[in-house]
Amino acid sequence: MGEILKNKHIILGITGSIAAYKAAYLIRALVKKGAEVQVVITPAGKEFITPLTLSTLSSHPVISEFFSNRDGTWNSHVDLGLWADAMLIAPATASTIGKMANGIADNMLITTYLSCKAPVFVAPAMDLDMFAHPSTQQNLDRLRSFGNHIIEPTSGELASHLVGKGRMEEPDQIVAVLETYFSTQSQLEKKKIVITAGPTYEKIDPVRFIGNYSSGKMGFALAETCAQQGAEVTLIAGPVALKTNHPNIKRIDVESAEEMYQAAIKAFPESDAAILCAAVADYRPEVQASDKIKRETEGEMTLHLVPNKDIAASLGAIKRDNQILVGFALETNNETVHAIGKLKRKKLDFIVLNSLRDAGAGFRCDTNKITIIDKKGHETVYPLKSKQKVAEDIVNQLASSLK
Ligand code: PMT
């Protein structure tokens, strides 16, 4: 990522959490990368780390009050908001997150946030129960719906000595999130991306269907990640219990493979790329009974199945040279051979292979383990990661393909 943060103006918002000590490491890491850091700290934040430490590391006076204590000059949150290339709030307490979500502008950090035109990154830090509370989660969803980037906390021992999710992400990882953002943003900004996600349901009768275990988590993580990088996403979703937050995501809900095909074939010609993550049923019953099939009257039964259209292959057939097509391969054996076969048959630019033989990969879970294979045959193997992080790896690959 080399020089990607060089000369970037970063506002670092620090709030009242024990994790505030990590802000010192964060400033050092950002400054080392060539970024200019302006700290804005809440009154509670100053209880955990001294402004002297922060101003020494950042080489800028720390801003906390609306007026300078020294000479009464006004600290303009508007000017700060315009100066910034990014605002990072790390650590972000439940209280600050709540104020951000509801526009409670009672300190310099929140007024700066409300004036900021640059992308905003929020790294929560709190006790596990506070983090899990519906109030915190709803406030975080609200921030996501404003287009803010939430840097998920990790699990581990907390200041309370309880163990769970709520530890602020490590400074190096936070810096990596910013680097990834700035390196892929220029590639994805305003790009139109179609994403398919979730399963399809193929009706047998009014109460039964053929389906699969896809939860939509992988595809929805991809949609959020692309939207956060500035892309305009059309998310074609099969029946899933997930919600979307980002304003850049246009969601089209479908049920069957045919409906997904119709939506994809309509959206693709106007798009720069498509990522086909849905687990599309390959077959559907030839006949759909209009009334519930009765066991008593039918006895043994045979379903005659006919093939559905292959969405990936159909898009591959109409793809222009300046469009990128990404597919998935969900395999259980001979993984690489099958994945390469699909990559070629469907005319994909790269394929994301996940295998049900890997623990924690594939359907339903919050993690995945992937290998990306491009059309030149290069393979990149990734370790097991959260689906959020896997989505970032896939979007990075997409960004370099779009270059
Ligand atoms: O939703 P989750 O629970 O998070 O699980 C994620 C996932 C396992 C569903 C996802 O990671 C994944 O692997 N998606 C693709 C599943 C699949 O159907 O793979 P496939 O190998 O059968 O299909 C190959 C490719 O062709 C896929 O890009 C698929 O979307 C596409 N396809 C398949 C059939 C069809 N009729 N039309 C298609 O476009």
Side-chain angles (χ1 to χ4, degrees), residues 252-270:
I252 302 173
D253 286 306
V254 298
E255 190 167 288
S256 65
E258 178 60 25
E259 286 169 8
M260 189 173 274
Y261 168 83
Q262 292 299 344
I265 210 87
K266 190 168 167 210
F268 187 60
E270 302 299 313

Side-chain angles (χ1 to χ4, degrees), residues 214-216 218 276-278 309 312 328 342 346 354 364 387:
S214 173
S215 62
M218 189 67 251
L276 304 170
C277 183
K309 290 174 190 131
F328 272 71
K342 287 174 187 174
K346 302 182 191 225
N354 43 188
R364 292 190 284 194
K387 280 187 173 161

Side-chain angles (χ1 to χ4, degrees), residues 126-133 156 158 160 162-167:
M126 66 197 76
D127 179 60
L128 74 164
D129 293 316
M130 288 175 80
F131 183 71
H133 197 281
L158 303 162
S160 59
L162 295 172
V163 176
K165 189 169 178 182
R167 277 166 69 104

Side-chain angles (χ1 to χ4, degrees), residues 349-366:
D349 290 277
F350 66 90
I351 194 157
V352 180
L353 163 64
N354 43 188
S355 170
L356 291 184
R357 284 205 287 186
D358 288 322
F363 289 130
R364 292 190 284 194
C365 42
D366 293 322

Side-chain angles (χ1 to χ4, degrees), residues 151-370:
I151 304 174
E152 288 289 321
T154 59
S155 289
E157 189 177 343
L158 303 162
S160 59
H161 301 300
L162 295 172
V163 176
K165 189 169 178 182
R167 277 166 69 104
M168 187 179 92
E169 181 58 284
E170 293 304 320
D172 284 348
Q173 291 302 318
I174 294 177
V175 171
V177 169
L178 290 181
E179 286 184 316
T180 302
Y181 173 80
F182 283 113
S183 68
T184 51
Q185 179 213 28
S186 50
Q187 263 70 52
L188 291 195
E189 189 78 48
K190 299 266 175 270
K191 291 280 190 300
K192 292 190 168 64
I193 300 179
V194 175
I195 297 175
T196 65
T200 63
Y201 286 180
E202 309 302 321
K203 247 189 193 168
I204 297 171
D205 68 12
V207 296
R208 303 177 182 94
F209 59 84
I210 297 173
N212 59 66
Y213 294 121
S214 173
S215 62
K217 286 179 187 170
M218 189 67 251
F220 275 56
L222 282 162
E224 286 287 334
T225 305
C226 288
Q228 286 187 352
Q229 305 295 338
E232 292 167 20
V233 177
T234 300
L235 174 63
I236 306 170
V240 293
L242 298 177
K243 48 187 178 149
T244 38
N245 292 303
H246 203 287
N248 288 4
I249 301 177
K250 179 183 151 208
R251 176 171 175 172
I252 302 173
D253 286 306
V254 298
E255 190 167 288
S256 65
E258 178 60 25
E259 286 169 8
M260 189 173 274
Y261 168 83
Q262 292 299 344
I265 210 87
K266 190 168 167 210
F268 187 60
E270 302 299 313
S271 308
D272 299 286
I275 309 177
L276 304 170
C277 183
V280 187
D282 283 316
Y283 292 91
R284 67 178 184 281
E286 185 176 33
V287 180
Q288 298 176 356
S290 51
D291 293 316
K292 185 179 175 190
I293 299 169
K294 295 279 185 284
R295 179 193 164 106
E296 304 79 39
T297 51
E298 298 293 330
E300 221 174 69
M301 76 175 279
T302 305
L303 270 183
H304 188 245
L305 302 178
V306 291
N308 280 324
K309 290 174 190 131
D310 186 322
I311 302 168
S314 307
L315 300 190
I318 58 167
K319 180 173 103 75
R320 299 187 306 269
D321 286 348
N322 61 352
Q323 287 178 305
I324 302 295
L325 191 57
V326 181
F328 272 71
L330 178 63
E331 305 297 342
T332 56
N333 63 312
N334 264 342
E335 287 86 347
T336 310
V337 174
H338 289 310
I340 291 173
K342 287 174 187 174
L343 174 81
K344 290 186 175 154
R345 242 186 354 265
K346 302 182 191 225
K347 298 198 168 58
L348 306 172
D349 290 277
F350 66 90
I351 194 157
V352 180
L353 163 64
N354 43 188
S355 170
L356 291 184
R357 284 205 287 186
D358 288 322
F363 289 130
R364 292 190 284 194
C365 42
D366 293 322
T367 51
N368 206 357
K369 184 173 182 328
I370 62 160

Side-chain angles (χ1 to χ4, degrees), residues 29-40:
L30 288 167
V31 168
K32 223 167 144 188
K33 299 270 182 184
E36 208 177 314
V37 180
Q38 173 62 62
V39 173
V40 180

